[in-house]
Amino acid sequence: MTSTCDGAAATVTGLVGGTFAFDTAPTDGAVIDSSTGTITGGDYDTTYSVSYTTNGDCPTTTIVSITSIIADDSSFEMTSTCDGAAATVTGLVGGTFAFDTAPTDGAVIDSSTGTITGGDYDTTYSVSYTTNGDCPTTTIVSITSIIADDSSFEMTSTCDGAAATVTGLVGGTFAFDTAPTDGAVIDSSTGTITGGDYDTTYSVSYTTNGDCPTTTIVSITSIIADDSSFEMTSTCDGGTATVTGLVGGTFAFDTAPTDGAVIDSSTGTVSQGGYGVDYIISYTTNGDCPTSSIVNFSSAVLPVISDPTPFEVCDDNIADGFVEMDLSIKNSEITNGNSNYAVTYYLTSEDATTADNPLTLPYTNISNPQTVFIRVVDIIYGCFVTTSMELNVQSAPAANTPSILEYCDADADGFGVFDLTNADAEITSGQTGLVITYHETQADAENNVNAITGNYNNIVQYQQTIYVRVESATITTTCATYLELLIVVNDVPQIETEPSALEVCDNDTDGFGLFDLSLASEEILNGLDPLDFEVTYYETLDNANSWRRIQ
């Protein structure tokens, strides 16, 4: 018998043609070929008892024990690596390695050495090893790659960078994943970032130095700087502060003032200073990332005003030197048109200084002339100055209402030409130093506009009122007397200019006779109502034309 891996093979050295059989039935499922004696289907290293019985004239039986070949030793060990494993054959070397189950992570295995590479951390692989000896066997081993180093870490923002805390495997190395542009630096051991800017994002890597180094990248943004912005509002003796950023900080003079001004460190209020003085104020926050801001400002200046000219008004209908007057007319002159100034009037200088008992407007003077006192306040800053003004009540010139001016209208259309200055002498009654102007409307007369110059053509048929303004040529006030002048257009009667001759008998033939001229009146009136017209007779044309003068 010759051993095989799963049994044995028989060689008859005696009389061939006999029968083989197990002398003792095997328990491993092996079978024997009765003709050839070949044992198959058995186990490695198993002893079988085989009988051979001849079939000749005198049959005999021989029993032989045979042990199958010992199986190849396919034992091996796997040692975990970061991306797979390494194999060590502890049995028969020279066999072949393979994945028993194909991996899904891209790992590969070296069939000769059993080395697994290109895999993932903490991943289990099933590896087979098959010997190539007389009785090949296969061993399967499962191996799990090493768990990756835990490179996790956290960053905590600081004002100029951040601080790192390793939550995984300590002892690794920190670095910037992206180089910063603001001059920040990082401590490779601690991960602390310093020297950076506020509100800036940094990308930081941390690489472990354990069995399976890994790298984690974390982005961190430094803390936003405290907002130390503030504004100053000028006051008369300094200013007030309004924090527009983070409240609760501290105010101070950046440059010490020289005028005795003081500052409240909590509110920033500057007081006890002078007018129009420049101050430099700093404000420092007390938050997580303190900053300081500096503001330059100037205290308010006193109102710049003009001393008013005397306030001259016309007396009212009662010429007693007392009249109601609107003093606010002078406001613009006093303030030079500055709308930020408020003006009030007082009887005394003391009242103007203390702002007590302001005069109610309109105001009626209590003497003529009279001095009133003025307080001008800057409504933005509250600074004030005082001045005074004289009140004078002027009387309007005396003037006479003129007689009607008439015009004889030859074409009877109701319009004529008037020389209005013909009324001047009657209006002034001989007074000198008066200016007389004529106007179509009362408003024009009162506003002293659109004065009529030269001959005037009436614009209202037959009868029109002209408004007369009379004022002094030497007193520069609006004090004037207003009169009305009536101008009338009279139609020239449309009469018979060539009446019939009057005839009488000359009894004494001397060429002279007595005529009743009125006998021609009816014909001359040519139908006009004799009650409305008077007909008179003259010996000469000049006398007729001069009728108005000789009446």
Side-chain angles (χ1 to χ4, degrees), residues 444-458:
D444 284 353
E446 291 176 356
N447 294 314
N448 199 19
V449 295
N450 303 320
I452 298 170
T453 58
N455 289 336
Y456 178 68
N457 293 275
N458 61 306

Side-chain angles (χ1 to χ4, degrees), residues 59 130 317 343 354 379 396 442 500 506 515 543:
T130 303
N317 294 329
V343 183
T354 59
I379 60 175
Q442 181 70 34
S500 301
D506 184 4
F515 291 85
N543 286 344

